[in-house]
Amino acid sequence: EVQLVQSGAEVRKPGESLTISCKGSGYSFTRYWIGWVRQMPGRGLEWMGIIDPDDSETRKSPSFPGHVIMSVDKTISTAYLQWSSLKASDTAMYYCARVPYDLLTGFDYWGQGTLVTVSS
Amino acid sequence: QTVVTQEPSFSVSPGGTVTLTCGLSSGSVSTSYYPSWYQQTPGQAPRTLIYSTNIRSSGVPDRFSGSILGNKAALTITGAQADDDSDYYCVLYMGRGISVFGGGTKVTVL
């Protein structure tokens, strides 16, 4: 069974750093790109970017925040989203999702989401 | 910047049929945009319904179907049920590995 399991909810202050994770199982992790989707409170879904777990190549939305980094550790089948200096506007639910094989778009399986709250 | 457009809301009667569309602020949608569709209920993670225009995701009932209608991608729900009451989002591929979500359509079954 394909599963993407994300790390738990986080509360941080502005300026702090943060890393959230997404662990894949039940499939060959390096054969499928992983994407990240943001959903700010009361708003729609936003496509942030995707990363190839095999070689860490990324494709990012033009509006992808410059202080956010996608990364992956293929040895433990885990993708990460990292902030160097959080802002209040980073408050959102973040989902990871798997891109269907041989495509660069769309998602077929989703993580349960990680809620990030940034508040002083 | 090209915007992906969806109807803000739709109502459908139980057992009825509704077609949601996904367009572009400039230009026409074709299969080259690999449209995909997602269902989200409040407080839940999205669920994939359709990807690459008309490929139904695992476990999705065949009353959900995807197509290209005119110059837009379309999601048709046939025989609407109460638990179809959700938000529906489309994604279009813009090239070079970049995709964009539409603003979403709120479907009410009543």
Side-chain angles (χ1 to χ4, degrees), chain B residues 6-96:
Chain B
Q6 295 186 247
E7 299 87 356
S9 62
F10 251 119
S11 287
V12 60
S13 300
T17 296
V18 62
T19 296
L20 315 182
T21 68
C22 178
L24 291 167
S25 57
S26 176
S28 299
V29 176
S30 66
T31 55
S32 299
Y33 285 84
Y34 298 93
S36 52
W37 293 90
Y38 307 89
Q39 178 191 50
Q40 188 182 36
T41 53
Q44 300 295 315
R47 170 198 183 197
T48 300
L49 298 174
I50 302 285
Y51 61 90
S52 196
T53 306
N54 55 14
I55 299 176
R56 214 171 284 114
S57 192
S58 177
V60 174
D62 59 8
R63 57 196 183 79
F64 292 94
S65 61
S67 63
I68 300 293
L69 283 182
N71 62 350
K72 296 182 179 182
L75 173 73
T76 300
I77 307 172
T78 305
Q81 300 180 0
D83 59 4
D84 296 336
D85 198 295
S86 302
D87 294 324
Y88 292 83
Y89 295 91
C90 68
V91 166
L92 297 180
Y93 181 60
M94 298 301 177
R96 291 177 290 179

Side-chain angles (χ1 to χ4, degrees), chain A residues 1-5 23-28 98 109-110, chain B residues 58:
Chain A
E1 178 193 7
V2 174
Q3 283 193 311
L4 295 172
V5 178
K23 183 174 176 60
S25 63
Y27 71 100
S28 179
R98 192 183 80 165
Y109 288 90
W110 292 75
Chain B
S58 177

Side-chain angles (χ1 to χ4, degrees), chain A residues 2-119:
Chain A
V2 174
Q3 283 193 311
L4 295 172
V5 178
Q6 297 185 232
S7 50
E10 302 277 4
V11 179
R12 291 285 189 279
K13 292 181 167 51
E16 293 184 340
S17 62
L18 174 66
T19 298
I20 63 174
S21 66
C22 168
K23 183 174 176 60
S25 63
Y27 71 100
S28 179
F29 186 72
T30 56
R31 297 185 72 188
Y32 296 78
W33 291 65
I34 290 286
W36 289 95
V37 175
R38 181 175 73 177
Q39 188 166 37
M40 300 174 78
R43 307 294 295 273
L45 302 173
E46 297 176 83
W47 192 93
M48 297 181 70
I50 56 174
I51 183 166
D52 183 348
D54 191 38
D55 61 6
S56 297
E57 179 183 358
T58 61
R59 310 288 175 90
K60 295 185 288 187
S61 165
S63 56
F64 191 92
H67 64 292
V68 185
I69 297 173
M70 291 183 287
S71 64
V72 65
D73 185 342
K74 63 183 179 181
T75 66
I76 55 172
S77 301
T78 302
Y80 302 96
L81 199 58
Q82 307 167 251
W83 289 260
S84 56
S85 180
L86 285 159
K87 305 176 182 181
S89 58
D90 292 317
T91 294
M93 181 71 83
Y94 292 86
Y95 296 100
C96 67
R98 192 183 80 165
V99 179
Y101 182 70
D102 226 18
L103 293 177
L104 279 177
T105 185
F107 302 113
D108 55 4
Y109 288 90
W110 292 75
Q112 83 276 20
T114 297
L115 180 62
V116 173
T117 303
V118 184
S119 174

